[in-house]
Amino acid sequence: QVQVVESGGGSVQAGGSSRLSCAASGRTFTTYNMGWFRQAPGKEREFVAAITWNSVMTHYADSVKGRFTVSRRNAENTVYLQMNSLKPEDTAVYYCAAGRRFDAFKELTADYWGQGTQVTVFS
């Protein structure tokens, strides 16, 4: 079993940057692919980014491609989401999740989910 806890959310001005962290517990973390998702008020949850267990592959939603970067440090059981050139429409609760199937993240499917962290981008 894997438990994940997000941190790093907060308020940031449009055009600025922020980095989210996802700390995972469990000895099998290094065997899980990891994904980031977000849910804005009044909207459905959407896929943001994902990274394979060995960092060989990453995948991004079109809306964040070129602005967000997902990475991980298995030795520290941590996954990161670096967000640059933030826009007000990036405002959402951001969730980290662990899953065995990398291709399932785009279907919003994962095995273990965190509680989320709020990111607010103001203009």
Side-chain angles (χ1 to χ4, degrees):
Q1 189 171 357
V2 177
Q3 293 182 322
V4 295
V5 179
E6 306 91 340
S7 62
S11 295
V12 61
Q13 191 168 18
S17 298
S18 183
R19 188 176 79 161
L20 303 182
S21 299
C22 174
S25 63
R27 292 178 295 176
T28 59
F29 166 76
T30 57
T31 66
Y32 278 84
N33 304 305
M34 299 297 294
W36 285 96
F37 305 80
R38 67 186 182 186
Q39 187 165 16
K43 296 187 177 181
E44 294 185 350
R45 188 172 298 189
E46 64 176 359
F47 166 78
V48 175
I51 187 167
T52 54
W53 65 272
N54 56 2
S55 301
V56 169
M57 290 178 57
T58 58
H59 182 58
Y60 298 92
D62 289 342
S63 59
V64 306
K65 200 172 294 183
R67 299 188 299 122
F68 290 13
T69 302
V70 59
S71 62
R72 65 189 295 167
R73 292 181 180 176
N74 284 347
E76 299 175 1
N77 277 20
T78 305
V79 180
Y80 301 98
L81 185 67
Q82 178 67 43
M83 305 183 294
N84 298 329
S85 302
L86 282 161
K87 305 174 181 179
E89 50 263 44
D90 294 317
T91 295
V93 176
Y94 283 73
Y95 298 89
C96 174
R100 290 294 192 188
R101 290 180 50 207
F102 184 73
D103 60 353
F105 287 139
K106 62 180 182 292
E107 301 169 0
L108 307 184
T109 299
D111 298 312
Y112 303 102
W113 292 83
Q115 295 299 308
T117 185
Q118 176 71 46
V119 174
T120 302
V121 184
F122 58 93
S123 56

